[in-house]
Amino acid sequence: MTNVIEQIAAIVPAAGIGSRMGAEIPKQYLMLNGQPILGHTLDILLTHPRIERVIVALSPDDTYFEALAQSKHPKLERVIGGNERADSVLAGLSLVTGGWALVHDAARPCLTSGDINKLIMAAEQAPLVNDVPQGAILAMPVRDTMKRGNADGQIMATVCREALWHALTPQLFPTLQLRDNLTNALAAGATITDEASAMEWAGMAPALVAGRGDNIKVTHPDDLRLAALFLNNNLNHSD
């Protein structure tokens, strides 16, 4: 038995400041190929035919969002986010009463519609466990040799990379399950670094969907130049 996904709301946590960028403004508003990073991210979500709503969780002190061309789009809604990613995701989920939630990082502007399609298809085709959908996330298999280091920056061991994946976004889960599992995991003091970790904490087994390597998260200044190259390439080639 598989699951048919009919209603999808995209949640974009965008309340952070991105301190590692060392910029004077939140990183999601840094310019990239003619518009802010967040503008590129919203474009791909707002134009995807399977996504009915896009909810952006913003800082209460945000003074940049209104200037985005996408801020007046009829599919877009906004909500005040929190101090942590999970708080912002929960704020977005509070506006959704059913269906599925597709959570995507604000600073991943190179997402393609093809990868969104792959994710939705995988979530629909993944087997149910006790009649419960498990959801799915985009991810990349680890390709490099992995090392575990100590506090002094020295190698302690080489870690087997077999079956290791880099978690990406979007991540797609039934809305009510994600809301409940995030809420309960946080109340239990669990470490929640992405939506999948809350589902794992609750005993779920989300599907891993191999995504494109150019779906990078802009975290450091060098990432901006790389993202610009990827966006230009995506404009010249189909998914």
Side-chain angles (χ1 to χ4, degrees):
M1 183 176 180
T2 56
N3 187 74
V4 177
I5 297 174
E6 295 181 345
Q7 295 178 306
I8 300 176
I11 310 293
V12 182
I17 60 173
S19 57
R20 283 178 287 180
M21 285 294 294
E24 295 181 356
I25 65 174
K27 68 178 179 182
Q28 59 268 30
Y29 295 111
L30 293 174
M31 294 301 292
L32 173 64
N33 287 21
Q35 69 168 330
I37 291 171
L38 181 56
H40 292 285
T41 302
L42 294 177
D43 278 343
I44 191 65
L45 298 174
L46 289 167
T47 57
H48 196 280
R50 295 290 301 273
I51 297 175
E52 296 183 0
R53 308 164 64 186
V54 178
I55 302 169
V56 185
L58 301 170
S59 164
D61 302 320
D62 190 301
T63 59
Y64 303 97
F65 186 77
E66 285 291 340
L68 291 184
Q70 298 81 3
S71 66
K72 304 298 190 296
H73 194 285
K75 284 172 63 172
L76 190 142
E77 303 168 60
R78 70 192 74 180
V79 68
I80 298 300
N83 293 329
E84 303 296 334
R85 174 197 175 86
D87 299 322
S88 292
V89 172
L90 281 171
L93 291 171
S94 71
L95 301 184
V96 189
T97 57
W100 287 63
L102 180 146
V103 184
H104 185 57
D105 295 329
R108 286 190 190 271
C110 303
L111 176 66
T112 66
S113 59
D115 262 8
I116 296 176
N117 292 337
K118 284 178 63 177
L119 179 66
I120 295 171
M121 184 179 300
E124 288 181 327
Q125 295 179 348
L128 306 183
V129 177
N130 296 324
D131 293 331
V132 177
Q134 303 297 291
I137 74 169
L138 285 183
M140 279 288 295
V142 170
R143 298 173 178 172
D144 301 313
T145 299
M146 303 296 291
K147 304 291 186 182
R148 187 180 304 281
N150 60 20
D152 297 322
Q154 298 169 312
I155 295 174
M156 293 178 60
T158 298
V159 180
C160 178
R161 68 187 175 199
E162 184 178 355
L164 289 181
W165 295 68
H166 295 285
L168 309 175
T169 68
Q171 303 190 357
L172 180 63
F173 299 105
T175 297
L176 300 183
Q177 287 182 14
L178 178 57
R179 184 199 65 195
D180 291 347
N181 291 339
L182 271 175
T183 300
N184 294 336
L186 291 174
T191 299
I192 301 301
T193 55
D194 65 354
E195 291 65 53
S197 57
M199 305 301 278
E200 296 160 41
W201 175 87
M204 313 289 283
L208 291 161
V209 182
R212 291 170 55 128
D214 56 5
N215 182 16
I216 65 169
K217 186 175 183 179
V218 177
T219 304
H220 300 284
D222 286 348
D223 296 332
L224 271 175
R225 291 186 285 273
L226 192 57
L229 291 173
F230 288 150
L231 285 173
N232 286 333
N233 184 67
N234 289 345
L235 286 174
N236 296 321
H237 299 85
S238 64
D239 291 343

